[in-house]
């Protein structure tokens, strides 16, 4: 069974940093591209970042470019999101989502980890 | 950037109703569109991909159509389990979601 489990969320002050993790099991992690998607409280979904299976291709949404860094460790079946210079508007539930093997849609999602940026 | 606009934002319907949700793209995305269902406190669930392909395990009352800039998600006979929020997503150029359509009990 495919499982994606996010962790690392919490309360952080504006300007602070946080590192999110997504532990994956039930599939061959190294063969799949992965994404981070966030959802502000009571709001819609926003794509944040993409990383290819071998980390050769990385994309960021304009809203996080230069502040967030996506990475992965295929040996540990884990995906990461390093978030720096956090702002109040980064407050959201952060999901990791697996890109389908051949299509560019997301076929599996984790349950999310909540990041709150507040003083 | 490609913008996705869903309508309506909220839809009130009864069990058994036929429900249609529309998603419009700001430029052509050919068929590169997915639909997701999200229930409160849960992660989104894939329903439809490539505009009209039904994800494995998703009931056949869900269907998708469209191409270019206009797309629809149809629920042929609304069931109690279908009251949720639905999002479209384009993946023609990066990824963008619509703002969501909440299907409520009438």
């Amino acid at each position: 069974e495919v499982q994606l489990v996010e962790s690392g969320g919490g309360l952080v002050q504006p300007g602070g940093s946080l590192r999110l993790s997504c532990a994956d099991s039930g599939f061959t992690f190294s063969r799949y591209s992965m994404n981070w998607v966030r959802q502000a409280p009571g709001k819609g979904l926003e794509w944040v970042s993409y990383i290819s299976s071998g980390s050769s291709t990385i994309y960021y949404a304009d809203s996080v470019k230069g502040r967030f860094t996506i990475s992965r460790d295929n040996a540990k079946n884990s995906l990461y999101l390093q978030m720096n210079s956090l702002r109040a508007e980064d407050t959201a539930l952060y999901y990791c989502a697996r890109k389908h093997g051949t299509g560019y849609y997301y076929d599996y999602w984790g349950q999310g980890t909540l990041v709150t940026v507040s003083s | 950037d490609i913008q996705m606009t869903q309508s309506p934002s909220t839809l009130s319907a009864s069990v058994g109703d036929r429900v249609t949700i529309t998603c419009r793209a700001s430029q052509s995305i050919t068929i590169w569109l997915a639909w997701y269902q999200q229930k409160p406190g849960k992660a989104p669930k894939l329903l439809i991909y490539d505009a009209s392909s039904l994800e494995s395990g998703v009931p056949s009352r869900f269907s998708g159509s469209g191409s270019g800039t206009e797309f629809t998600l149809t629920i042929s006979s609304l069931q109690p389990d279908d009251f949720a929020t639905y999002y479209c997503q384009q993946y023609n150029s990066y990824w963008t979601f619509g703002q969501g359509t909440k299907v409520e009990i009438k």
Side-chain angles (χ1 to χ4, degrees):
Chain A
E1 180 191 3
V2 172
Q3 288 196 13
L4 310 178
V5 180
E6 302 91 338
S7 61
L11 175 63
V12 61
Q13 292 188 338
S17 298
L18 214 53
R19 189 195 195 205
L20 306 184
S21 299
C22 174
D24 305 316
S25 60
F27 65 103
T28 306
F29 179 72
S30 61
R31 294 183 181 176
Y32 289 85
S33 299
M34 300 294 295
N35 295 265
W36 288 99
V37 177
R38 68 184 180 183
Q39 186 170 35
K43 302 297 184 182
L45 301 166
E46 179 188 17
W47 167 72
V48 172
S49 186
Y50 162 93
I51 186 168
S52 61
S53 58
S55 303
S56 60
T57 302
I58 287 174
Y59 302 125
Y60 298 100
D62 288 343
S63 57
V64 307
K65 201 173 294 183
R67 301 187 298 122
F68 289 11
T69 302
I70 192 171
S71 63
R72 63 190 294 161
D73 185 335
N74 287 344
K76 295 183 177 180
N77 292 344
S78 292
L79 174 71
Y80 306 102
L81 186 68
Q82 176 67 42
M83 304 186 296
N84 298 331
S85 303
L86 283 161
R87 307 166 179 166
E89 54 265 35
D90 296 319
T91 294
L93 187 63
Y94 284 74
Y95 294 102
C96 61
R98 190 182 85 168
K99 187 190 80 65
H100 184 267
T102 54
Y104 281 81
Y105 49 92
Y106 306 154
D107 57 359
Y108 286 94
W109 299 63
Q111 288 305 303
T113 186
L114 181 63
V115 172
T116 303
V117 184
S118 175
S119 54
Chain B
D1 293 4
I2 299 176
Q3 310 301 318
M4 305 300 292
T5 304
Q6 286 181 237
S7 60
S9 297
T10 307
L11 188 159
S12 297
S14 302
V15 172
D17 284 352
R18 181 181 180 88
V19 167
T20 298
I21 299 169
T22 297
C23 180
R24 290 186 173 87
S26 60
Q27 63 189 75
S28 177
I29 57 171
T30 61
I31 62 166
W32 308 128
L33 184 106
W35 290 96
Y36 299 87
Q37 177 193 66
Q38 187 179 35
K39 296 181 179 179
K42 299 294 186 181
K45 173 188 173 184
L46 177 66
L47 300 176
I48 301 285
Y49 61 93
D50 295 350
S52 61
S53 295
L54 191 68
E55 172 69 349
S56 176
V58 174
S60 59
R61 62 181 179 272
F62 291 92
S63 64
S65 64
S67 65
T69 62
E70 188 151 338
F71 302 86
T72 58
L73 172 71
T74 299
I75 309 173
S76 60
S77 178
L78 198 65
Q79 298 301 302
D81 191 49
D82 301 338
F83 292 96
T85 300
Y86 294 84
Y87 293 93
C88 62
Q89 177 205 39
Q90 69 81 19
Y91 44 95
N92 181 74
S93 175
Y94 301 102
W95 297 266
T96 316
F97 294 90
Q99 80 277 17
T101 295
K102 185 176 183 180
V103 177
E104 297 182 328
I105 300 174
K106 190 173 185 178

